[in-house]
Amino acid sequence: MNRKETDIYDITIVGGGPAGMYAAFYSGMRAMRTKIIEAKQELGGFMRTYPEKLVWDVGGVDPIRCERLIDALERQAKTFDPTIVFGQEIADMQRSEDDIFVLTSKTGEHHYTRTILLCAGRGMTQVQKLDIEGANRYELTNLHYTVTDLSRFKDKCVLISGGGDSAVDWANEMEKWAKQVIVVHRRNEFTAHELPVAQMKAFAKVMAPYRIARLYGEGDQIETVAIEHTENGAIEKIAIDEVIVSHGYDRDFGHLLRWGLAKEDYGVSVDLRMRTNIPGIFGAGDFITYGSKVRLIAGAFQDAVLAVNSAKLYLDPAAPDMAGVSSHNARFFEKNKAIIQG
Ligand SMILES: Cc1cc2nc3c(=O)[nH]c(=O)nc-3n(C[C@H](O)[C@H](O)[C@H](O)COP(=O)(O)OP(=O)(O)OC[C@H]3O[C@@H](n4cnc5c(N)ncnc54)[C@H](O)[C@@H]3O)c2cc1C
């Protein structure tokens, strides 16, 4: 393969969600030449699906809108100027004779690296769309698969379809904004947590077990939704202003699982130092699983630190086990000066 020494990175992080972004920062602290490759055109990962939500459970951070947390993580990820590649889904991995990994994207580009850190989360998630003919024509107007601006629902009649945490959370958020909230769910029981379900039932009109059967519109705007009772087939028509569909996501790990990585139900298996069964390949975040795995942003940070430290030791067994703490780390001296003088 035609490659130069400068094409080779110490660590290549696949996936730019919270695990990948924090790993990029921490690998900079460990003076590793770092590349992040993200399939989408932006960093943020799954957090991009709930940009308006307030996040409370990241240590030391006041309740913060998720999109602002993404911005902060992105700035932190860029602290040591990693190379960031967008729009490339990594598919294949090979190892050359001199032990350099060659990653190949679906679009045919090659990336050379001494170690790989897989932060691919739930893989290439695709939102589960309404399986109704012609539904896509309303996607640019009043059919939503995520909510990015709550104010557009002010004083509207909003129909929400779904029974999981996300659907119920959106319903509860709408209470402050919408004129009326109707929740349609195909089963009698909601899978969301009890407390938010009870909160929703206190103000929303809940129609279960029903499913959306048809959308009627004028031009590109849905005006009426036909819902069908899933047990007796009875149809009701409801006039609405906005429709939110929250039916979850399909997970697709693409070609990554063809590499020979050991896997359990919830993800790729790693040991307590985030090492996969393939030497030189590590994992962090929702992509992996181990006994006490925490599927939260905070858990992704912890995994990222452990994985980067393992990658560093893989490259240099004489290196310290972990980076020096940031408050006393020479890599920050100049940056600290700039901030203090700032
Ligand atoms: C509705 C909802 C609300 C949540 N709220 C909270 C909360 O309040 N607090 C909290 O701590 N956690 C919350 N979580 C969980 C949190 O979002 C996840 O734990 C976190 O996003 C996992 O981060 P990650 O980096 O491992 O993966 P992800 O965020 O899934 O990022 C993975 C990235 O990898 C990319 N990728 C995948 N495959 C490839 C490939 N082959 N090549 C290149 N790129 C690839 C994807 O495009 C994606 O950008 C919530 C989750 C959901 C579903």
Side-chain angles (χ1 to χ4, degrees):
M1 264 175 209
N2 203 3
R3 57 156 219 241
K4 304 186 289 294
E5 188 59 23
T6 50
D7 292 336
I8 304 171
Y9 284 76
D10 294 326
I11 187 165
T12 295
I13 299 164
V14 178
M21 287 189 280
Y22 194 70
F25 167 72
Y26 195 78
S27 61
M29 275 183 74
R30 299 236 55 175
M32 298 169 84
R33 198 159 168 256
T34 303
K35 182 187 271 188
I36 315 180
I37 304 174
E38 167 55 51
K40 305 224 167 93
Q41 295 298 342
E42 57 188 2
L43 297 174
F46 213 69
M47 295 167 77
R48 293 275 175 204
T49 65
Y50 51 99
E52 284 263 339
K53 292 274 189 190
L54 282 176
V55 176
W56 286 71
D57 48 2
V58 175
V61 178
D62 287 331
I64 182 173
R65 279 211 186 283
C66 193
E67 62 190 346
R68 292 196 45 224
L69 184 57
I70 297 172
D71 290 345
L73 278 167
E74 192 168 338
R75 281 195 300 278
Q76 186 181 41
K78 292 177 179 167
T79 307
F80 299 103
D81 298 321
T83 298
I84 306 180
V85 176
F86 288 114
Q88 289 191 33
E89 181 185 341
I90 292 304
D92 296 318
M93 177 276 297
Q94 287 182 329
R95 209 163 192 165
S96 59
E97 279 173 10
D98 56 354
D99 242 8
I100 299 299
F101 289 106
V102 185
L103 290 170
T104 306
S105 69
K106 274 196 169 166
T107 41
E109 286 88 349
H110 299 302
H111 302 273
Y112 305 98
T113 185
R114 297 188 172 88
T115 64
I116 298 169
L117 174 46
L118 293 172
C119 298
R122 295 152 183 249
M124 298 304 300
T125 46
Q126 299 289 342
V127 73
Q128 283 186 12
K129 294 198 173 183
L130 266 190
D131 189 16
I132 291 180
E133 207 186 317
N136 58 351
R137 88 169 201 256
Y138 303 113
E139 284 179 19
L140 292 177
T141 52
N142 59 345
L143 173 60
H144 313 274
Y145 290 101
T146 189
V147 175
T148 50
D149 177 12
L150 284 164
S151 63
R152 83 165 273 148
F153 300 92
K154 191 168 178 339
D155 299 329
K156 304 255 184 86
C157 176
V158 183
L159 184 143
I160 298 174
S161 175
D165 284 317
S166 212
V168 172
D169 279 0
W170 288 128
N172 286 329
E173 295 267 3
M174 286 302 150
E175 187 185 6
K176 298 186 283 287
W177 298 91
K179 183 173 66 189
Q180 190 188 13
V181 179
I182 301 163
V183 179
V184 174
H185 179 38
R186 69 197 157 115
R187 298 203 180 90
N188 284 305
E189 298 302 322
F190 282 77
T191 53
H193 288 99
E194 256 168 52
L195 197 64
V197 171
Q199 193 186 336
M200 169 188 79
K201 285 183 173 170
F203 75 92
K205 180 174 178 186
V206 174
M207 305 201 61
Y210 278 91
R211 66 175 190 91
I212 296 181
R214 207 163 156 190
L215 306 172
Y216 297 92
E218 189 64 40
D220 287 342
Q221 203 69 20
I222 306 168
E223 294 187 333
T224 305
V225 178
I227 58 167
E228 180 187 21
H229 195 284
T230 56
E231 289 164 2
N232 62 23
I235 298 275
E236 286 195 39
K237 287 187 178 172
I238 306 172
I240 53 85
D241 299 310
E242 306 280 345
V243 177
I244 299 171
V245 173
S246 185
H247 292 175
Y249 291 83
D250 291 322
R251 298 179 72 159
D252 178 10
F253 290 111
H255 291 212
L256 298 183
L257 295 184
R258 298 186 191 169
W259 297 5
L261 293 160
K263 187 179 173 295
E264 291 162 56
D265 275 0
Y266 287 101
V268 163
S269 313
V270 292
D271 65 12
L272 291 178
R273 303 185 78 168
M274 306 301 118
R275 298 178 291 205
T276 69
N277 59 314
I278 304 179
I281 303 185
F282 307 86
D286 281 4
F287 186 70
I288 54 158
T289 191
Y290 54 92
S292 51
K293 169 71 192 138
V294 173
R295 285 177 202 284
L296 285 176
I297 296 162
F301 295 164
Q302 158 89 351
D303 297 344
V305 170
L306 292 171
V308 169
N309 284 334
S310 290
K312 180 77 183 182
L313 288 170
Y314 174 83
L315 294 178
D316 176 8
D321 283 352
M322 54 184 274
V325 289
S326 63
S327 54
H328 292 73
N329 190 311
R331 286 186 74 72
F332 293 106
F333 285 172
E334 289 307 313
K335 293 180 193 296
N336 287 346
K337 260 194 232 162
I339 290 171
I340 290 162
Q341 286 161 7

